[in-house]
Amino acid sequence: MGMGRARHGIPARVRRGPLARVRRGTWGVAVAGLTALGMLTSACTNNVTGDATAGRGGSRVIGVVAAENFWGSLVSQLGGSHVDVLSIVSDPNADPHDYESSAQNARAVAVARYVVQNGAGYDDWMSKLLAANPETGRRVYDIGATLGKHPGDNPHLWYDPAYVTMACDHIEADLKALDPKDAAYFTARRAAVTAAFAGIRRQLAQIHRDHAGQPVAATESIFAYLAASLGLRLISPPAFMNAVSEGNDPPVASVVEFEHQLAVRQARVLVYNKQTATALTTSIRGLATSSRVPVVGVTETIQPPGESFEQWFGAELAALARALNGGSR
């Protein structure tokens, strides 16, 4: 199936080229050709300052706005005490691509020295805020655009190990460009992030060793990047996943095929997006449960918002490992 104008679609076949070479291993560890994920900790701060030099104890502090809290968490960890980060979307009930920005958000963007957005059609509201508040001294990192992604491509970039490694590289370089006098500090922060997520890398490596090649199902494209990175075989009908991702009704044939896959337990697990559940995906989840196919829920933002990226993603990986091992949801 070709790519339509999906909000966050998935191609009919997920093709994975060689993963990016990891510069200092923030997310990377080689596992049978896999570049495994590394995660980052730190909840985001709530204030934004436009002054890049006046800060805590006389240190330079860069005011940052991140469209979503997973990217905000990344900037917070890499920037440490030299960034002040506001993450706009963190509500567990919010769908980031349908988010309605506020006047407060516009003011924050207007004074920020650095703005990070997911891109690929996921948070177009941020593009509108940037256009409405032009600022020549502001640095903007559109992650999807940098990766060559466009609206209609799968925008769940934070679930791809190589993409997050690239984002770490880019953010580190941007922070150094904004505050060159503290370049050594940002280098040290990057090393600390790498060390902090050794446990996450071990989780990913273990799942890949134990389960690569096993069939899995998902209600939409949110799991596609991670499934491919782990070597899992995503068997759900692409037409079903694309339609759900676009907010449309899937073709009847794809629904019948998906229901059959679950009824005869062709998939080892079903992964569903807890933040965009519909009557149909709820029904699919119920069928999986009645067919004794373990179900794993994932989210589009860090949940609960106060947790670190490491806690949030580590819990999702632990649930996935349990499900693949035949455990309970």
Side-chain angles (χ1 to χ4, degrees), residues 10-57:
I10 176 175
R13 178 179 296 176
V14 178
R15 297 185 183 274
R16 299 285 295 185
L19 295 180
R21 188 180 184 88
V22 180
R23 179 161 59 88
R24 285 200 298 276
T26 300
W27 283 55
V29 58
V31 183
L34 167 72
T35 300
L37 295 172
M39 295 296 165
L40 32 133
T41 58
S42 175
C44 302
T45 56
N46 295 316
N47 301 315
V48 174
T49 174
D51 190 339
T53 59
R56 309 171 186 88

Side-chain angles (χ1 to χ4, degrees), residues 65-298:
V65 173
E68 300 87 14
N69 67 355
F70 41 84
W71 296 125
S73 191
L74 189 156
V75 179
S76 293
Q77 185 71 359
L78 292 173
S81 63
H82 289 249
V83 295
D84 202 3
V85 182
L86 170 68
S87 291
I88 292 179
V89 177
S90 60
D91 185 345
N93 298 312
D95 191 353
H97 45 63
D98 292 333
Y99 183 78
E100 295 290 337
S101 59
S102 66
Q104 182 180 8
N105 299 153
R107 287 193 295 272
V109 169
V111 301
R113 290 291 311 284
Y114 189 36
V115 173
V116 178
Q117 68 178 121
N118 189 79
Y122 189 72
D123 44 19
D124 285 341
W125 50 268
M126 176 58 85
S127 299
K128 294 175 183 177
L129 286 178
L130 289 166
N133 296 278
E135 170 56 56
T136 57
R138 180 176 57 214
R139 202 174 189 94
V140 177
Y141 178 27
D142 182 325
I143 296 167
T146 303
L147 293 169
K149 299 294 184 180
H150 305 283
D153 293 335
N154 183 349
H156 300 102
L157 309 174
W158 62 98
Y159 276 111
D160 185 294
Y163 293 164
V164 174
T165 296
M166 294 176 192
C168 288
D169 290 345
H170 198 113
I171 291 168
E172 181 188 6
D174 280 347
L175 294 176
K176 288 178 177 178
L178 287 163
D179 182 9
K181 292 183 179 180
D182 290 313
Y185 175 82
F186 297 125
T187 297
R189 290 306 313 150
R190 180 61 181 277
V193 169
T194 299
F197 290 91
I200 294 292
R201 292 193 294 273
R202 285 193 295 270
Q203 282 182 282
L204 288 151
Q206 187 68 52
I207 293 172
H208 189 275
R209 282 195 300 269
D210 292 347
H211 302 291
Q214 293 183 357
V216 296
T219 55
E220 59 172 280
S221 65
I222 189 170
F223 186 58
Y225 288 133
L226 183 55
S229 296
L230 293 172
L232 300 173
R233 186 161 53 90
L234 189 56
I235 65 171
S236 313
F240 184 101
M241 290 188 288
N242 281 334
V244 171
S245 296
E246 295 165 9
N248 298 327
D249 292 330
V252 173
S254 71
V255 177
V256 172
E257 181 184 359
F258 201 177
E259 290 177 340
H260 174 73
Q261 289 175 338
L262 295 173
V264 300
R265 304 183 67 187
Q266 289 181 1
R268 291 292 304 272
V269 301
L270 171 70
V271 176
Y272 77 102
N273 185 345
K274 294 192 288 188
Q275 283 184 248
T276 59
T278 66
L280 177 59
T281 60
T282 300
S283 173
I284 289 291
R285 179 188 176 190
L287 175 60
T289 300
S290 64
S291 301
R292 303 191 308 280
V293 175
V295 177
V296 178
V298 296

